[in-house]
Amino acid sequence: MLVAFLGYALQVTLKHLLKRSGSEYSPTEALKRLREIRSVDIVLPTVEGREIWLRRITKLDDEQQKILYQLQLQWPELLEPTQILKCSENSAIA
């Protein structure tokens, strides 16, 4: 019940934020467009055997930028990579 209420509260809040900014998008349309944003991890191996992880997001199209502007949200150009724990290939080391 709590999760359903929180979802409803977030949708109503998004509806009011869009309406206040004069947006022509409904909450459903805005979320549908923003859902297309993806993040990718770029893994670059080094000569020392280490890996450099870079997290990037896809380039926003005009509609997505417009929605974020109307919601007064700034999108970061660079995202911090999450800590990735890898299993050792050698179980004796792990």
Side-chain angles (χ1 to χ4, degrees):
M1 185 81 167
L2 177 63
V3 173
F5 172 75
L6 290 175
Y8 173 74
L10 288 172
Q11 183 165 357
V12 169
T13 301
L14 180 58
K15 178 181 176 181
H16 288 291
L17 289 173
L18 290 167
K19 186 176 182 180
R20 183 175 65 189
S21 70
S23 177
E24 67 273 10
Y25 297 101
S26 70
T28 304
E29 292 169 333
L31 290 174
K32 182 179 178 184
R33 291 296 297 135
L34 295 177
R35 166 179 338 151
E36 297 168 0
I37 300 171
R38 301 283 183 252
S39 91
V40 293
D41 289 328
I42 302 169
V43 182
L44 303 170
T46 65
V47 292
E48 294 90 20
R50 301 167 118 192
E51 293 178 338
I52 298 173
W53 287 73
L54 302 172
R55 178 159 287 170
R56 297 288 189 257
I57 57 170
T58 54
K59 186 168 170 45
L60 301 176
D61 65 24
D62 292 338
E63 259 186 279
Q64 292 165 336
Q65 288 178 1
K66 182 178 179 182
I67 293 168
L68 291 175
Y69 177 77
Q70 290 171 341
L71 294 173
Q72 298 177 351
L73 296 174
Q74 290 184 340
W75 201 255
E77 292 188 23
L78 174 66
L79 300 175
E80 292 297 321
T82 56
Q83 181 66 32
I84 299 172
L85 301 175
K86 293 185 178 182
C87 296
S88 174
E89 291 178 9
N90 183 346
S91 61
I93 298 173

